[in-house]
Amino acid sequence: MANDYSADVIVVGTGVVGCLVAEQALDAGLSVLMLEAGPRVERWQIVENYRNVPPRFKQNWNAPYPAKPWAPHIESELADATTDYLQLEGPNGRAYRQGYVRYAGGATWHWAGICWRLHPDDMRMKSLYGVGRDWAFDYNTLEPYYTRAEYALGVCGPSEVELQWPPLPRSKPFPMGRIPFGQGEQRFTEAAARVGITNLPAPQARNSGVSYDGRPPCCGNNNCFPVCPISAKYDAASALPRIESKGGRILANAVVYRVETDAKQNIQAVHFFNPNKETQRVVGRLFVIACNAIETPKLLLMSKDERNPNGVANHSDQVGRNLMDQPKISAQMVLAEPMWTGVGPVQGSSIMMTGQGAFRSEHAGAMLRCENAALSAVGGLAALSKGLVGKALDAEIRRLSACTARLTIEHEILADPNNRLTLSDKKDWLGLSKPNIYYDVGDYVRRGHQEYTLPLLKKLIAELGAVESSIATTFTNSDHMMGSCIMGTDPTDSVVDVDCRAHDHPNLFLPGGAAMTTGGCGNSTITMAALAMKASDAIVDQLKRG
């Protein structure tokens, strides 16, 4: 079989982690080839797709990203689409219905841009609280990589230490100042203060009032979900062309289905299908798999051979285990006075202090926030359901659009080996196994919600002056996929080392959310990006040493 493609570094996956690793390697003078299962698209195409989405799917952020037959993902709220690709089971299977995108650029297309760092205590759960696992290194080790990631992505944030999270000294300030609160988030901040908790401005990979890295300032379109229409936010449409300008090659519609090892357990090649179901082989010196916490373990498990009967990198039997997200509960309400959410980015703040405390030995903490997305569609549909017509209907649409608000709680979850991805006996369009996921949020989260976060949520709803409210009773996904290739120093109970290098294969790296040991309750992306930076240093050093 001919080798059609080769490079020093082969990167499978073109999301934020893959892009950061690729760019760091290119800057070090290495050749890079990236492979992506899905198509390459332009920003205008996604904007146009969103404009043409039926109204009932406007709140589904994957709807403008129709899945290709060879690279399926969840794209609608329809039940048959939910079960078509991800096979979900367990007490809370629904809570792992992740909305990732198999397009070039991955979830950077529709992420919120939020960049909360972990708190140092989040990395010492076993030592401090006797639950979960400790990271293999401490916060101070990760801090310089956080800073590098923030400058690579272009993160804006507050200059005041008391408004930062964690409230600790930083090695460098944020590249840009914070984005001011809109009216809705300001009102939420004041209500939280009356309850005795602090709502913080969120650091965001979005330009605040200035241009940065060729991107324009945010002008508050409030369309970060499902796509930033002007590229003020870091995403694939700005990252991928920059990688190509530095000499990187990007191969779209290339579904990698096998990782090939040699007798010394080095990775020799990856194999991929193109949309015509033709197979090709890619060789390199070093391989990076950065496909997220679902597609990465799926690929490793599909690659079993006689030397690796449980799958590549899986002598510990930990590949696919310890899946994490941040189980979410949302509340919707109608206020007596207008809230006017929708001014500025879709997320701009969160209450982080509720994730910390001695209670973590007993139950989960959580992040609470006010959704800043415009809820005119929700209010409009509610008005239409009342059977009104004419001026009465128009007035009710206007009232509910302004007065409807949504609060969200995202709980921390502990790594549990029983929360696991395995290969389904059902096959996709290419004949590859679909991912099967067992998921239970566990009593730690359930206790946290019943005893701690639900009472807090009810206080906030009352303090905001709600006249109607409903609180969801089932956990849903936050799209913060973590675990499945967990990090550790013991090769018998972890998959990767402190640099995200596979214990079993010296030239295989698995950086990003899959390697995270704990996730805290904040968004996971900047920690994934920091791990990508740390892995990049190890990759460059390893290849330079030969």
Side-chain angles (χ1 to χ4, degrees):
M1 185 183 299
N3 293 330
D4 292 327
Y5 301 98
S6 66
D8 292 326
V9 181
I10 306 299
V11 181
V12 183
T14 57
V16 60
V17 171
C19 285
L20 288 174
V21 171
E23 197 161 358
Q24 298 294 306
L26 288 165
D27 289 344
L30 300 168
S31 61
V32 175
L33 172 65
M34 305 183 77
L35 296 104
E36 168 58 47
R40 186 92 179 257
V41 291
E42 301 292 334
R43 187 183 310 280
W44 69 265
Q45 291 176 285
I46 305 303
V47 174
E48 193 65 16
N49 287 351
Y50 181 58
R51 286 175 174 153
N52 292 310
V53 164
R56 65 192 177 116
F57 289 152
K58 287 289 187 185
Q59 296 286 313
N60 171 27
W61 316 127
N62 266 23
Y65 301 89
K68 300 300 179 186
W70 56 89
H73 58 248
I74 295 174
E75 61 176 293
S76 79
E77 297 290 342
L78 298 175
D80 57 348
T82 299
T83 58
D84 189 49
Y85 181 58
L86 288 182
Q87 309 294 303
L88 303 171
E89 60 175 322
N92 302 103
R94 164 63 184 84
Y96 219 81
R97 194 178 66 175
Q98 303 294 343
Y100 62 97
V101 174
R102 296 178 78 186
Y103 275 27
T108 65
W109 280 108
H110 67 19
W111 74 309
I114 303 302
C115 290
W116 294 114
R117 295 182 177 192
L118 290 175
H119 189 283
D121 291 356
D122 297 335
M123 303 175 72
R124 299 187 298 158
M125 293 295 291
K126 189 69 175 178
S127 298
L128 291 175
Y129 308 115
V131 298
R133 298 168 66 134
D134 284 351
W135 281 61
F137 47 77
D138 62 13
Y139 177 84
N140 289 333
T141 302
L142 200 57
E143 201 282 337
Y145 298 105
Y146 269 133
T147 299
R148 280 173 55 184
E150 288 165 352
Y151 275 76
L153 270 56
V155 175
C156 69
S159 57
E160 306 93 327
V161 173
E162 65 273 18
L163 294 181
Q164 296 170 355
W165 190 263
L168 297 170
R170 301 164 48 88
S171 53
K172 291 177 71 174
F174 287 109
M176 292 165 279
R178 59 172 285 200
I179 292 177
F181 288 159
Q183 183 173 329
E185 287 189 303
Q186 183 59 42
R187 184 169 168 182
F188 177 70
T189 303
E190 293 164 359
R194 291 194 292 274
V195 173
I197 47 182
T198 304
N199 187 44
L200 297 174
Q204 308 175 45
R206 181 177 287 106
N207 296 349
S208 58
V210 295
S211 297
Y212 185 90
D213 214 9
R215 306 184 330 239
C218 176
C219 60
N221 280 289
N222 200 239
N223 282 107
C224 325
F225 300 156
V227 61
C228 175
I230 64 167
S231 79
K233 180 187 69 176
Y234 173 93
D235 64 26
S238 57
L240 295 176
R242 188 170 60 245
I243 288 170
E244 289 177 313
S245 73
K246 295 182 177 185
R249 290 183 294 165
I250 300 163
L251 192 59
N253 299 315
V255 183
V256 177
Y257 65 91
R258 181 186 164 206
V259 179
E260 177 187 333
T261 64
D262 67 10
K264 295 182 178 179
Q265 291 286 38
N266 286 302
I267 307 303
Q268 287 289 91
V270 294
H271 298 247
F272 73 88
F273 284 123
N274 66 22
N276 297 321
K277 299 187 182 180
E278 298 163 338
T279 183
Q280 289 183 278
R281 183 170 179 262
V282 179
V283 299
R285 298 171 62 195
L286 187 147
F287 295 79
V288 178
I289 300 176
C291 306
N292 72 42
I294 290 178
E295 297 297 331
T296 293
K298 190 190 83 169
L299 172 58
L300 297 174
L301 293 174
M302 288 194 302
S303 301
K304 64 181 180 182
D305 56 31
E306 60 182 13
R307 288 176 295 277
N308 304 282
N310 295 322
V312 165
N314 198 25
H315 281 182
S316 64
D317 190 33
Q318 294 301 301
V319 169
R321 296 184 183 272
N322 303 298
L323 281 171
M324 295 179 283
D325 185 17
Q326 281 143 354
K328 182 165 73 177
I329 291 287
S330 293
Q332 196 152 293
M333 54 192 172
V334 176
L335 309 182
E337 299 294 330
M339 184 78 168
W340 293 121
T341 57
V343 178
V346 293
Q347 287 183 28
S349 65
S350 291
I351 297 167
M352 301 299 292
M353 59 191 293
T354 45
Q356 304 298 316
F359 62 79
R360 297 171 90 183
S361 63
E362 301 294 332
H363 64 72
M367 172 179 78
L368 288 88
R369 59 184 171 82
C370 170
E371 303 277 1
N372 195 43
L375 296 179
S376 50
V378 176
L381 288 171
L384 285 167
S385 70
K386 296 184 176 184
L388 301 171
V389 296
K391 291 183 178 178
L393 175 60
D394 183 65
E396 189 65 353
I397 290 174
R398 291 173 183 275
R399 183 183 76 85
L400 290 179
S401 296
C403 295
T404 301
R406 186 181 293 152
L407 304 186
T408 291
I409 313 169
E410 295 182 19
H411 301 82
E412 65 172 332
I413 190 171
L414 302 175
D416 179 352
N418 294 312
N419 285 332
R420 183 181 187 187
L421 179 146
T422 55
L423 300 179
S424 171
D425 57 4
K426 296 181 179 178
K427 306 295 183 182
D428 68 12
W429 186 80
L430 288 170
L432 304 176
S433 295
K434 296 180 177 181
N436 189 86
I437 291 168
Y438 176 92
Y439 193 59
D440 179 3
V441 303
D443 289 340
Y444 187 74
V445 170
R446 282 188 278 270
R447 275 197 304 274
H449 178 57
Q450 287 299 321
E451 299 174 12
Y452 180 52
T453 60
L454 185 58
L456 273 174
L457 181 65
K458 290 179 177 178
K459 285 182 182 178
L460 287 168
I461 290 172
E463 197 60 45
L464 283 165
V467 294
E468 300 173 25
S469 65
S470 62
I471 301 174
T473 56
T474 57
F475 293 100
T476 56
N477 51 296
S478 292
D479 295 343
H480 302 156
M481 293 174 282
M482 297 171 284
S484 77
C485 294
I486 204 160
M487 177 190 295
T489 55
D490 184 350
T492 66
D493 69 0
S494 59
V495 179
V496 298
D497 68 10
V498 296
D499 293 320
C500 297
R501 182 191 292 104
H503 290 305
D504 299 345
H505 310 281
N507 66 336
L508 175 64
F509 284 73
L510 309 171
M516 289 176 66
T517 309
T518 60
C521 57
N523 307 51
S524 57
T525 301
I526 199 65
T527 302
M528 295 162 51
L531 291 176
M533 289 298 188
K534 192 172 189 300
S536 297
D537 282 359
I539 289 168
V540 171
D541 179 67
Q542 184 168 320
L543 290 181
K544 292 290 185 182
R545 285 188 287 107

